Amino acid sequence: MSSGSGTIVRGGRVIDETGTRRADVAIGDDGQIVAVGPDLDGTGATTLDASGCVVTPGFVDLHTHLREPGREEAETVESGSRAAALGGYAAVVAMPNTEPPIDCAAVVRQVLDAGAAAGLCDVRSSGAVTAGRKGEALAPYGEMAALGVRIFTDDGNGVQDEGLMRRAMEYGRTMNAVMAQHCEIDSLASGGHMNEGAWSSKLGIPGIPAEAEELMVARDIALAKLTGATVHLQHLSTAGSVDLVRTAKAAGVRCTAEATTHHFTLTDECCASYSPLFKVNPPLRIDSDVAAIKAGLADGTIDAIATDHAPHTQEVKELPFDEAPPGMLGLETALALALTELGDLSLEQIVGLLTWRPAAIAGLSDMHGGPVAEGRAANLCVFDPETAWTVDPARSASRSRNNPYAGRKLKGKVRHTILFGTPTVIDGEAQR
Ligand code: DOR
């Protein structure tokens, strides 16, 4: 190829769903990949060095809290997009528990416009399942779907009423939507602040039993079977949930699932510090749950690694454990946590969990998730899988600092991120 312009990603190992090969990637000025192969002629092109690195599709996060509108002191679409780009993400799905909630076209448009203005990540919006996320009446899916919303969820809460959830699935099915669920039975979880078990007893903190999650996972699998809708089960945290999804998939139920990085790297023992940094919903569970999540990621039961990036200001995260809101940052540590902690998985599996598999769930496969091939949109991540680094929350691009991994040594670092042909991150530095 003789390109007089554009960008060339030089000297990396490309991994996508078609396999692994050594190749350069040439990107045209129109943001599309124009060639993939060894030793491309990059005369005149801007070179991004990828030696020693892996070149993959840009990551896709199914579960990001961007806090805009309403809680811009914790995060904005722009600051969250910057954190996403630094984490290797080319696309994120914004969760609807904003103020006001994302439950109609006007708020969807606001989020999408803010994402486009920031230009650091392809910000997609989820839409609420119920009006106001109140769990009482269905939200207007049609007007949100018309703006490209594909994932509907009341995330932050589960939809409690079975009949309403059935109708939501029936309605969603007519527009090929994915009904996603924060699985938690309120009457079992309310008043709880951490996993119910030995540590909650020892610490005197009221617990949330695994059953609060598992009963809703089981219910929604049953409703997906009943309605023929596709259900996506968010942030699974227990061994029982993983088993339920495994069995449902084997029986042909249309369900997918995600696990967060914190649910395969931390346990409820962390709460012994009484630090609200470890308060999250669903709560951190026990060793056997962590092992089951890892096994679910390894055998394909769990389709995607999600961040549940949930920024909160220092002011509220410094409240006592029982008063602080749940949630932790995740966008900038996801890749490294996966590479460091998922030793039983191949690099190809980890890349799949971060790219083509979530892209397929979000309905974004036409432009995200790969393959890295001529004619495709150049949404790419270049990372060094071996670089060792220590997490320093002060260096985050997020407006918030609620990172539970301070001081943790990880391996694997994003070097460049490319969004529709334009580098958003070069050599670990955000470009805007
Ligand atoms: O820990 C959590 N934080 N879990 C949720 O479901 C909501 C999220 C938030 O919005 O802070």
Side-chain angles (χ1 to χ4, degrees), residues 54-379:
V54 175
V55 181
T56 70
F59 304 160
V60 176
D61 188 22
L62 294 172
H63 201 132
T64 312
H65 295 275
L66 293 173
R67 301 301 189 219
E68 194 178 340
R71 281 200 281 150
E72 289 84 356
E73 72 281 10
E75 197 76 287
T76 62
V77 170
E78 184 184 344
S79 63
S81 295
R82 190 169 293 110
L86 286 164
Y89 289 88
V92 298
V93 180
M95 289 297 106
N97 58 338
T98 50
E99 293 164 16
I102 309 176
D103 68 351
C104 63
V107 190
V108 170
R109 201 186 307 275
Q110 189 179 343
V111 172
L112 298 182
D113 287 352
L120 285 155
C121 188
D122 188 358
V123 174
R124 302 298 177 123
S125 183
S126 65
V129 175
T130 67
R133 295 179 53 255
K134 291 192 177 129
E136 292 162 3
L138 299 185
Y141 303 167
E143 65 180 49
M144 293 191 273
L147 292 175
V149 172
R150 161 139 167 144
I151 294 181
F152 291 89
T153 172
D154 272 2
D155 185 62
N157 297 97
V159 177
Q160 303 298 309
D161 185 277
E162 297 85 358
L164 188 63
M165 195 62 213
R166 174 190 180 168
R167 288 212 306 285
M169 286 190 185
E170 286 168 346
Y171 184 16
R173 215 193 102 179
T174 64
M175 54 195 81
N176 203 22
V178 173
M179 306 312 291
Q181 190 73 278
H182 167 121
C183 293
E184 183 174 50
I185 304 275
D186 284 349
S187 60
L188 287 171
S190 77
H193 300 289
M194 65 175 290
N195 178 53
E196 181 173 313
W199 276 106
S200 64
S201 303
K202 209 175 295 183
L203 299 171
I205 297 175
I208 301 172
E211 287 75 5
E213 173 173 309
E214 291 160 6
L215 285 172
M216 195 173 281
V217 170
R219 182 202 77 178
D220 278 10
I221 287 170
L223 292 177
K225 202 167 152 199
L226 174 67
T227 60
T230 301
V231 68
H232 175 69
L233 302 155
Q234 298 177 288
H235 46 45
L236 294 188
S237 70
T238 78
S241 295
V242 178
D243 280 344
L244 286 162
V245 174
R246 188 177 287 118
T247 306
K249 284 187 166 186
V253 180
R254 291 155 67 106
C255 63
T256 55
E258 67 185 36
T260 70
T261 43
H262 44 272
H263 287 116
F264 64 78
T265 55
L266 301 171
T267 66
D268 61 352
E269 189 178 349
C270 297
C271 302
S273 63
Y274 288 99
S275 166
L277 286 176
F278 299 102
K279 180 172 177 180
V280 68
N281 201 8
L284 303 175
R285 305 286 187 181
I286 61 176
D287 282 335
S288 53
D289 294 310
V290 168
I293 298 285
K294 287 182 176 178
L297 290 163
D299 73 9
T301 301
I302 300 172
D303 299 87
I305 292 172
T307 69
D308 199 358
H309 178 84
H312 290 289
T313 60
Q314 222 145 332
E315 196 185 350
V316 293
K317 267 299 196 183
E318 282 173 356
L319 291 167
F321 199 93
D322 58 343
E323 290 172 38
M328 31 182 81
L329 300 186
L331 287 165
E332 291 165 273
T333 44
L335 169 73
L337 288 166
L339 291 173
T340 308
E341 301 289 341
L342 298 177
D344 290 345
L345 275 69
S346 68
L347 197 47
E348 288 74 11
Q349 280 180 297
I350 290 172
V351 172
L353 287 159
L354 291 166
T355 62
W356 62 87
R357 298 179 68 196
I361 292 167
L364 297 176
S365 300
D366 54 337
M367 57 186 89
H368 290 284
V372 180
E374 186 185 337
R376 298 271 314 179
N379 292 312

Side-chain angles (χ1 to χ4, degrees), residues 395-427:
R395 289 181 53 85
S396 175
S398 171
R399 283 200 173 178
S400 293
R401 291 288 172 266
N402 54 313
N403 185 326
Y405 298 104
R408 191 144 162 167
K409 290 186 173 35
L410 301 175
K411 68 162 188 174
K413 203 148 188 24
V414 172
R415 190 158 174 207
H416 317 302
T417 307
I418 299 170
L419 179 67
F420 294 109
T422 302
T424 52
V425 173
I426 297 178
D427 285 325

